Structures are given as structure tokens and as C-alpha cells.
């Protein structure tokens, strides 16, 4: 997509940028089946720019996709992509006035317009899953703190942009830079609170598939998803995918900022509730996950008849290798759908049981990626419920 088109389309979308109208509450409720607390949430059909979404919080918006969004296909439409902001988001952004400052440990700091970003290098498209590190956290037992997400804080989109390394080259990264840090236009609402800034190691920043993106599924980034520009790090949790990108900063040392040094970290050792002072590292690459989408927990299936189960799976930071349907002491390999969009995208799977002979109790799917990483049978509990990848189980009643 050319920079002119980005700017022109943005101008059409709003008065020189994009704007968000006030939200409207819905009447319908959905039960997320959260074991540790209130489980009902409003299902809002009218949040600006969105289809029906689970409202976890209005402001700043936290919207979750109902699992029905994943029942078909591998691409999540923009109006069903989950939304997460740590601090209040600007509700109006001017494309013409926007600048991205590239500075820190660089040879010559620059402030780039959208056109300059778009022409910094070759335009690249990549399909990648955007997943919150806390996705599925609400299902943790014992309960953990943080947004009580079901499993809908994920979605898969096609992202278009330029390589981050080409944008960095405009300023020239200094010899020995260790990390690259990003900030957006959103700022804390309380004095002295830390801004949401995140950094990635320099070798990740220089990867050919790490982008400064301006389009999502061939549309300009919706304001909720970070208009006009966001970072995309395929295979990594989207906490690093900073939205409304305004600053790119090369760091010559470690990053001591709050959202890297103090939160979005998980233990390097096994921990249990109440444990303190254990070593932690930032959550980074995503593990494999898979979901049955054809049937909800508790659904009824026909006794004595064949049964086809379907769903989606992801490899995480490596391609999906296989999916098995698992029950109590048995495993059946599933058939993978076509690899339409590469290693960082969803893939569909299906399996047909020749005949249902009784209730299917606590069945689930186990995905493995090409690095040999497999979904565990038991939850790896951690205090923030990060990086959930346990086999998700449902029970089907035969009658
Ligand atoms: N500027 C900015 N970017 C951000 C955040 C934020 O609070 N501010 N949250 C991050 C987190 S934690 C997640 S999960 C993703 C969510 O992206 P989405 O809202 O497009 O789904 O945005 C990331 N980028
Ligand atoms: Mo997140």
C-alpha cells in the first residue's frame, strides 16, 4: 500500500485521521465460564467500529471476541478483533500531523511523517496472530489478578507495513545497541504512573518480519488497533505490538522501565500461589494452542452416529506441526487444514469419530509446533496467568 493511499484513506475515514465515538451499552450477557469469580459479561453489539464483542471494560476499552468468531476461517475480521489498552487511548489522531521520533542510541535522530515511514523500505505483508499474554487468564485455578479474559483475547490478521529495521536505518542504529523501545500516543491518567512503553532485543528488532504496520486486513489500522501505525512482532505476544506508535528508541543498555522490568514477566521456576521472590523473565514467544470450535462445553451429540469435531490451532513462534484429539488415556490424530497463511497464523483442524459410544468426557486438543513444543496436560500456574497453553477440555453429552 502506498503512503498516499494510506493518507488519502485516512482522510476519508475521518477529519484528517480517525476518531472514536462514545460507546453504547448492550443488553445481552454471556457466561465466560470463569471458575474463580463473576463470569457474566455484557455482549455488546454496538461498540463503535465493532461487531458483537464481550465488554470486559469500557474505558480504556477491553473487548474480547466471543469464541463463535473462531468457528470458521483463519482470519479474524477487524470488527471482531479483541481490544486492549492499558491507559486511556486518544480518541482522535491526525494522520497529517503525526510524527514518529526515532532516537536514543542512533547516529542522527529523525522525526518521520507517515509518508516517510511508508517509503522507508519495501512494503511487507504478513499474517500473524495477535494474542494478549493474559489470554485465558480468567480460567486460571486458583484465580489470578488482571483482566479476567476467557480465550477470546486473540485474533489473526494480515498486517501491512515496512520493516522496523528499514525505519531504524533512517536514523542509523549506533554500534552496540541492545534493545529497541516503543511508545504510543496514550499516556497514563494518574500523575507519576508509568507510560506503556515496551522494548524488544535488537536481534528481534532486526528480523525481516518485524514491522511498523499501517494496515490490518487491507484496511487502515482502526483507531482501536492503533491508527496510524503499530509494531507487529509475529510469534510474540502482542504486549510488544505497540499501537499509535510515536517513538522508537534504540537502547544501549538494559530496559529498566516498568512494563519490561516489573510486569509482563513470568517465573523461570515452578511456583504456587503465595510464593514470593522467584526469578522471572519477560514473556516473549507464544507457545502452541488449539481449540475445539465446532462444539461448546456441555453440547449434545448423537449416540451411535459418526461425529466430526473441528477447530483452530496455532504453532506460536513456530509453525504448527500436529494436533491430536485427547481423552482419558487416548489420542487420535486430527487432519490439519491447508497452511494458507504461514507459520504465525491460525490453521484449522478436523477429526471424525466413526461412532459415538457414550459421553465424551473432558476431551481436548493438543497442538505441537515444529520446534517440538507441545501443549501441556496440566496448567503451568503463574501469578499473572500469562502464556496459558494448557489443553482446553470440554464434555459432550451423547443421547
Ligand atoms: N500504545 C499501546 N499499545 C499497546 C497497548 C497499550 O496499552 N498501548 N497494549 C498492548 C497489549 S498488552 C496488547 S494485548 C495489544 C492488544 O492489541 P489490540 O488491541 O489491537 O488487539 O496491544 C498492545 N499495544
Ligand atoms: Mo496484553
Amino acid at each position: 500500500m502506498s503512503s498516499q493511499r494510506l493518507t488519502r484513506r485516512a482522510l476519508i475515514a475521518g477529519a484528517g485521521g480517525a476518531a472514536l465515538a462514545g460507546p453504547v451499552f448492550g443488553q445481552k450477557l454471556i457466561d465466560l465460564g470463569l471458575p474463580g469469580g463473576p463470569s457474566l459479561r455484557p455482549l455488546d453489539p454496538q461498540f463503535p467500529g465493532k461487531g458483537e464483542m464481550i465488554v470486559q471494560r469500557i474505558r480504556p476499552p477491553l473487548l474480547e471476541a466471543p469464541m463463535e468468531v473462531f468457528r470458521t476461517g483463519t482470519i479474524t475480521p477487524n470488527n471482531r478483533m479483541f481490544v486492549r489498552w492499558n491507559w486511556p487511548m486518544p480518541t482522535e489522531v491526525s494522520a497529517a500531523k503525526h510524527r514518529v521520533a526515532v532516537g536514543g542510541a542512533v547516529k542522527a535522530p529523525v522525526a518521520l511523517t507517515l509518508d516517510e515511514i511508508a517509503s522507508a523500505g519495501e512494503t511487507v505483508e504478513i499474517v500473524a496472530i495477535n494474542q494478549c499474554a493474559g489470554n485465558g487468564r480468567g480460567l486460571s485455578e486458583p484465580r489470578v489478578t488482571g483482566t479476567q479474559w476467557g480465550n477470546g483475547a486473540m485474533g489473526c490478521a494480515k498486517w501491512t507495513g515496512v520493516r522496523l529495521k528499514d525505519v531504524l536505518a533512517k536514523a542509523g542504529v549506533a554500534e552496540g545497541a541492545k534493545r529497541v523501545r516503543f511508545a504510543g500516543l496514550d499516556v497514563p491518567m494518574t500523575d507519576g504512573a508509568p507510560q506503556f512503553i515496551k522494548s524488544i532485543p535488537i536481534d528481534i528488532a532486526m528480523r525481516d518480519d518485524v514491522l511498523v504496520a499501517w494496515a490490518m486486513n487491507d484496511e487502515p489500522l482502526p483507531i482501536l488497533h492503533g491508527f496510524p501505525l503499530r509494531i507487529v512482532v509475529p510469534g510474540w505476544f502482542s504486549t510488544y505490538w505497540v499501537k499509535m506508535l510515536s517513538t522508537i528508541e534504540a537502547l544501549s543498555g538494559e530496559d529498566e522501565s516498568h512494563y519490561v522490568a516489573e510486569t509482563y514477566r513470568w517465573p523461570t521456576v515452578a511456583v504456587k500461589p503465595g510464593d514470593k521472590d522467584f526469578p522471572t523473565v519477560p514473556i516473549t514467544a507464544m507457545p502452541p494452542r488449539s481449540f475445539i470450535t465446532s462444539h461448546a462445553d456441555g453440547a449434545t451429540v448423537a449416540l451411535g452416529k459418526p461425529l466430526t469435531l473441528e477447530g483452530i490451532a496455532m504453532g506460536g513462534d513456530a509453525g504448527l506441526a500436529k494436533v491430536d484429539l485427547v481423552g482419558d488415556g487416548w489420542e487420535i490424530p486430527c487432519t490439519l487444514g491447508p497452511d494458507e497463511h504461514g507459520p504465525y497464523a491460525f490453521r484449522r483442524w478436523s477429526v471424525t469419530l466413526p461412532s459415538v459410544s457414550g459421553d465424551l468426557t473432558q476431551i481436548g486438543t493438543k497442538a505441537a509446533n515444529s520446534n517440538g513444543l507441545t501443549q501441556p496436560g496440566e496448567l503451568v500456574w503463574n501469578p499473572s496467568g500469562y502464556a496459558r497453553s494448557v489443553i482446553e477440555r470440554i464434555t459432550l453429552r451423547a443421547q
Side-chain angles (χ1 to χ4, degrees):
M1 182 184 283
S2 78
S3 55
Q4 279 103 324
R5 195 163 154 223
L6 164 69
T7 313
R8 196 182 70 237
R9 290 184 68 168
L11 283 163
I12 294 164
L20 182 71
V24 182
F25 281 98
Q27 302 296 320
K28 255 164 84 182
L29 294 176
I30 186 170
D31 188 343
L32 293 183
L34 309 181
S39 196
L40 294 178
R41 297 286 185 283
L43 200 58
D44 197 319
Q46 301 185 66
F47 198 96
K50 289 286 156 181
E52 195 167 67
M53 295 294 281
I54 300 161
V55 181
Q56 291 276 8
R57 189 177 67 193
I58 287 278
R59 204 162 57 172
L62 286 180
L63 308 176
E64 174 170 349
M67 287 309 279
E68 68 170 48
V69 167
F70 309 108
R71 208 172 282 159
T72 57
T74 49
I75 297 288
T76 312
N78 290 357
N79 71 346
R80 308 307 291 281
M81 179 64 86
F82 85 100
V83 176
R84 196 268 192 270
W85 290 85
N86 283 263
W87 294 111
M89 56 173 288
T91 51
E92 230 172 302
V93 178
S94 157
K97 289 190 199 135
H98 194 77
R99 297 288 181 278
V100 178
V102 188
V106 297
K107 290 171 188 132
V110 285
L112 303 171
T113 64
L114 299 188
D115 282 355
E116 287 166 337
I117 295 268
S119 59
E122 186 192 347
T123 299
V124 180
E125 288 185 344
I126 189 156
V127 177
I129 292 165
N130 167 30
Q131 180 179 215
C132 179
N135 191 27
R137 167 196 287 141
L139 304 166
S140 291
E141 286 181 278
R143 193 179 199 268
V144 294
T145 55
T147 304
Q148 298 297 296
W149 296 113
N151 273 321
M154 62 177 185
C156 182
K158 181 171 98 181
W159 310 94
T160 308
V162 284
R163 296 186 174 99
L164 172 61
K165 68 174 187 189
D166 289 341
V167 175
L168 283 166
K170 292 278 199 181
V173 175
E175 200 68 28
K178 282 213 166 69
R179 298 180 73 84
V180 179
R181 186 158 67 187
F182 315 108
L185 293 177
D186 46 333
V187 289
M189 56 182 164
T190 13
D191 278 350
Q195 190 181 359
F196 184 81
I197 55 178
K198 297 286 301 191
S199 66
I200 57 177
I202 192 80
D203 56 323
I204 301 294
M206 293 299 173
R207 253 167 58 174
D208 271 345
D209 57 2
V210 170
L211 305 186
V212 174
W214 56 76
M216 175 175 174
N217 293 329
D218 296 319
E219 296 287 331
L221 276 179
I223 193 161
L224 288 168
H225 297 290
F227 181 92
L229 297 168
R230 84 178 302 171
I231 296 293
V232 170
V233 187
W236 277 33
F237 284 108
S238 55
T239 176
Y240 298 98
W241 301 26
V242 171
K243 300 189 280 188
M244 285 186 190
L245 181 70
S246 59
T247 309
I248 301 175
E249 184 190 3
L251 303 179
S252 53
E254 289 309 312
D255 187 354
E256 300 302 333
S257 66
H258 177 76
Y259 290 99
V260 172
E262 283 154 35
T263 69
Y264 289 97
R265 301 175 71 90
W266 71 329
T268 54
V269 295
V271 296
K272 49 187 191 324
D275 285 356
K276 296 244 160 15
D277 298 328
F278 42 79
T280 62
V281 289
I283 38 112
T284 56
M286 297 192 287
R289 297 196 75 184
S290 59
F291 304 88
I292 297 171
T293 59
S294 55
H295 295 73
D297 190 24
T300 307
V301 295
L303 189 62
K305 295 271 166 56
L307 172 67
T308 298
L309 298 171
E310 289 177 12
I312 52 162
M314 57 185 276
D317 73 331
L320 183 71
K322 64 174 187 154
V323 176
D324 294 312
L325 182 70
V326 299
D328 186 8
W330 55 265
E331 289 188 17
I332 305 171
C334 302
T335 305
L336 297 188
D339 180 358
E340 294 170 289
H341 304 298
Y344 304 115
F346 282 139
R347 261 177 95 170
R348 300 211 65 87
W349 60 265
S350 70
V351 64
T352 299
L353 308 178
S355 176
V356 173
S357 59
D359 287 353
L360 292 159
T361 308
Q362 293 291 291
I363 58 166
T365 47
K366 183 175 73 171
N369 71 19
S370 59
N371 285 343
L373 198 61
T374 301
Q375 289 185 255
E378 298 295 327
L379 178 72
V380 181
W381 189 92
N382 66 89
S384 296
Y386 287 137
R388 180 182 174 89
S389 70
V390 62
I391 296 172
E392 305 287 347
R393 293 177 184 271
I394 64 171
T395 293
L396 301 177
R397 307 277 169 217
Q399 71 178 41

